[in-house]
Amino acid sequence: MSFYVASSPHHHLRRSTADLMRLVLIAMIPGILAQWYFFGWGVILQLALAIAVALASEALCLLARDRAPSSGLRDYTAVVTAALLAVSIPPLAPWWIIVIGTLFSIVVVKHLFGGVGQNIFNPAMAGYVLLLISFPVQMTSWLPPSSLTELPGLWDSILVFLFGFTGEGFSLEQIRRVESGTLLDAIVMATPLDHIKTELAQGFTLSEAKSAPIFSGAAGMGWQWVNAAYLLGGLFLIQQRVITWHIPGALLGSLGLFALIGALIAPDHLPNVDIHLLSGATMLAAFFIATDPVSAATSTRGKLVYAGLIGVLIYVIRTWGGYPDAVAFAVLLANLCVPVIDQYTRPTVYGHREERS
């Protein structure tokens, strides 16, 4: 009689890893569609190339480890990693950006640590941080939302993605800047969080920073709807019992609490709650990234501590750090703390009684 040892993710509903990962991909569809609507075809191009590279590198790594590629490819973990990385980078970043990030995520962060269930860091976020540190210009080249400009069509998006220029010879920088002959550099060259951070650093107040057209909505044109779409997908995951409420609730709760305190103390200099919760990658982080069953804490109390720490770190880095979004750094720092968190939050064994001195 053999004893089967399985690696994480473990689940009590007797669902396979492939079933869980498929549900995660389904839950991401509303967010992906929202990003496609507001930021163009580049999102789909990044996604397609990332998945292709992830599957190829996964198969090669499994062959190198003398394992059957089919068993690893069927669990969809590589596809989920590729999807999370693809939606996190600028839509028309050069093709080699997503290739490098995906290879690092799959080959180094996942397989060099032992494969599925063995990685201590979230692979997608580790790949994102590598790209952000190594290629800061390409990784901050976000397009303005479709509400502010006419985005390139599918063919021009393919040309910019592969070669850097549209069919008419416009570069990505020119696409980002020009709208009806008017330079919108100060308005659309950065995400809402980056725009606010830059304006506050230059001495402007929060209300002055939010007077830009990109803030016609509560948390930035386009971005608030993208976050709402990922929130919808996250609620679907909770309803399907793929994840529990503990990590999303603790992350959003701690981030919202610190944002509220900051807004009450310095309302003209610190962004309020809606900006922190509905801009950047907040909802993607809360429901899809921080909930990674391998690199997150395991116990219920541990999940609350782990996710609460991520929320605090996001707020601290956004407010005083050098990076406006901070999700990837916060998640990786919390991943480092998971062994300690699990050590001190593991549940007491039934029937165990603590020794008293």
Side-chain angles (χ1 to χ4, degrees):
M1 183 176 180
S2 61
F3 180 71
Y4 176 68
V5 179
S7 61
S8 55
H10 306 293
H11 208 270
H12 297 295
L13 296 182
R14 298 186 181 276
R15 287 174 173 168
S16 66
T17 300
D19 291 335
L20 298 177
M21 295 300 105
R22 278 195 293 265
L23 287 172
V24 171
L25 291 170
I26 292 172
M28 290 184 66
I29 291 175
I32 292 172
L33 291 177
Q35 284 187 257
W36 167 75
Y37 177 80
F38 285 105
F39 299 105
W41 286 99
V43 177
I44 308 301
L45 299 176
Q46 300 284 359
L47 188 64
L49 183 56
I51 291 174
V53 173
L55 292 175
S57 57
E58 178 91 350
L60 291 175
C61 286
L62 290 171
L63 286 172
R65 298 172 59 195
D66 294 325
R67 298 189 179 184
S70 57
S71 61
L73 296 178
R74 285 198 299 262
D75 62 18
Y76 290 95
T77 55
V79 178
V80 170
T81 296
L84 290 174
L85 181 60
V87 300
S88 300
I89 69 174
L92 289 181
W95 64 269
W96 47 267
I97 288 286
I98 193 64
V99 170
I100 293 173
T102 305
L103 286 174
F104 182 79
S105 298
I106 300 297
V107 177
V108 178
V109 184
K110 181 179 179 181
H111 281 283
L112 288 188
F113 278 88
V116 176
Q118 307 299 320
N119 50 282
I120 62 174
F121 296 107
N122 184 291
M125 292 300 96
Y128 178 87
V129 167
L130 170 76
L131 295 175
L132 185 60
I133 294 175
S134 303
F135 312 104
V137 175
Q138 290 81 2
M139 287 295 290
T140 53
S141 300
W142 283 89
L143 292 171
S146 57
S147 307
L148 290 178
T149 188
E150 182 178 353
L151 297 174
L154 175 59
W155 180 242
D156 278 335
S157 296
I158 293 174
L159 293 177
V160 174
F161 180 60
L162 295 177
F163 307 109
F165 295 91
T166 66
E168 297 177 349
F170 292 107
S171 67
L172 175 59
E173 192 66 22
Q174 290 172 313
I175 294 173
R176 296 172 61 213
R177 287 173 178 255
V178 178
E179 165 65 16
S180 300
T182 303
L183 289 179
L184 295 177
D185 182 55
I187 299 174
V188 302
M189 282 194 65
T191 63
L193 288 173
D194 199 3
H195 174 76
I196 287 180
K197 194 173 189 67
T198 301
E199 295 292 290
L200 293 178
Q202 294 177 352
F204 294 100
T205 65
L206 180 62
S207 58
E208 290 172 333
K210 291 183 67 175
S211 64
I214 198 172
F215 282 101
S216 63
M221 190 178 295
W223 290 95
Q224 58 195 10
W225 295 110
V226 170
N227 274 274
Y230 281 117
L231 170 61
L232 179 64
L235 295 177
F236 169 77
L237 292 180
I238 294 177
Q239 187 272 331
Q240 291 292 311
R241 300 178 68 183
V242 176
I243 62 174
T244 63
W245 64 267
H246 301 88
I247 288 179
L251 192 157
L252 297 176
S254 63
L255 176 58
L257 176 61
F258 274 76
L260 177 60
I261 294 173
L264 292 175
I265 295 174
D268 287 334
H269 300 284
L270 294 177
N272 42 24
V273 177
D274 58 345
I275 292 177
H276 277 288
L277 295 186
L278 294 176
S279 192
T282 302
M283 294 300 170
L284 181 66
F287 291 97
F288 295 91
I289 296 174
T291 53
D292 172 31
V294 178
S295 57
T298 54
S299 67
T300 299
R301 286 187 299 167
K303 290 177 180 178
L304 294 174
V305 174
Y306 163 78
L309 175 62
I310 293 177
V312 172
L313 289 172
I314 289 175
Y315 182 79
V316 170
I317 299 173
R318 282 180 178 180
T319 305
W320 296 287
Y323 295 92
D325 200 338
V327 163
F329 292 97
V331 169
L332 295 182
L333 289 172
N335 289 160
L336 283 173
C337 300
V338 163
V340 177
I341 294 173
D342 281 341
Q343 174 69 24
Y344 289 99
T345 60
R346 59 187 178 185
T348 303
V349 177
Y350 179 76
H352 173 77
R353 183 173 62 185
E354 293 184 358
E355 298 291 337
R356 295 185 178 179
S357 57

